[in-house]
Amino acid sequence: QPYLDKSHTYHSTMCSCCCPPAISALFYLWVRSGFSKGSVAGALTFFPPDPAMYKFQRVDKNGEVLEGGADDDEDNAEEEQKEGDYYDDDGDDSDLGTFQIDTNSSHQTNNKKTKEEKADARQKQQQHQREAQQQQQREVASQDPIVAMTERSNKLRQRAKRRARIDSADAKNGVTYNFVPNLVMLGNLPSFNGTIHPVKIGPQKRTGTYVAALLYKLPLNECSPTTKTILYSHGNATDVGAMAGLQCLIAKNLKCHVLVYDYSGYGESGGVPMEKNTYRDVKMVYEWVVNNVTKHESNVILYGQSVGSGPSCYLASRRANVGGLVLHSPFTSGMRVLTPSRALACLDIFPNIDRIKKVKCPVFIIHGKKDVEVSFEHGMALQMAVPEDCRRDPWWVPDKGHNDIVDGPGIVEYIQRLNRFVRSLDD
């Protein structure tokens, strides 16, 4: 999968428990943030692609393309918060205690209008970008970790404020969007005979954030009352643009709708990347899917890849009527990926190993046996923790690692096994 988890060199350098400067940085951030676990975990865990692998082209009510966007608006970056600005309070999670679906919610969609781009120099530009990313990772890793983490955190929050103002104004003015993938980097997308709807879902009640998402919708003549919708929570260091090719293949071959979204702080989504924000994101997107696509929770399949296993397990443990759960290269918890020691348990995030015990839907786990980023043992531990009546045969993929399960010929078996699981939900 292109551009999935490409920042792990930086991740490992900054986060190794054997690195005294990194440990100093962790505790510095923890104290400076008011002992906010989310701030520290966010600095360790989330690496949005920069630049993003797509754009949402803004279109006004008259069909005219609007110039600029949140990332272009550097003026007034320090402007005081006002209506529509991002509200960031990691210490308050009162909105996460309950989960009621608001059946009155309604958000905007529009049809796909892709922009054709020539990709004659694709390989050369891909190589150039990879080299630039590697150089940036080396430069960041060589910095004082305290300075690097603090600067990154400040930059993300400034971006969140700018995007919140624009997204709020766009919603009031009826702005819609065109999905423009970076075809130079991604190549031509697979054919899909349905429609791709780019949407901004929101605002999130607590933070005011809007989440960018793509709905891959089947043609009406291929739909039935039991047609499933896969709510896809992607991995780290990727976005909905980089995932577009895989989502086309899933929707087309499984005869399912697919809704893939970007976490807060990723791609065209607002907000900042933090654990609690991913929970808010997936709750809001789930509610939108039930109200606007499936109408029934039992037709929703949660799919979590890598870091996406966190919000997916969180939601599955709280929604008794969800149709199914797929975990792709998941982990037992965030800190357990770094070390089996529980010395830093107070900073742990995404406790999947505890939440998976509470799910009430069928669970299908996929994990590569040669995964060196999230050990294969994580997948096996989660499989054993799934309630017996919800446990389905896993797929332990030989000779595959963390990011390459769907690469090359592997995509055929992947689609077959995923399709078998989806069809079994109606048996």
Side-chain angles (χ1 to χ4, degrees), residues 102-116:
D102 180 3
T103 57
N104 297 317
S105 67
S106 177
H107 306 278
Q108 48 190 312
T109 65
N110 73 301
N111 290 334
K112 172 187 178 184
K113 295 182 181 178
T114 56
K115 183 179 180 181
E116 293 296 333

Side-chain angles (χ1 to χ4, degrees), residues 5-46:
D5 291 335
K6 290 296 185 182
S7 295
H8 271 280
T9 300
Y10 167 54
H11 184 285
S12 298
T13 301
M14 296 299 295
C15 306
S16 171
C17 291
C18 298
C19 179
I23 294 296
S24 299
L26 290 181
F27 282 100
Y28 175 83
L29 282 180
W30 191 36
V31 173
R32 177 167 178 167
S33 63
F35 302 98
S36 165
K37 179 184 75 171
S39 296
V40 176
L44 289 172
T45 307
F46 302 105

Side-chain angles (χ1 to χ4, degrees), residues 388-409:
E388 189 172 354
D389 59 333
C390 298
R391 198 181 300 161
R392 297 295 183 268
D393 290 340
W395 182 28
W396 308 136
V397 192
D399 300 320
K400 292 291 185 178
H402 193 67
N403 302 323
D404 60 354
I405 289 175
V406 301
D407 286 356

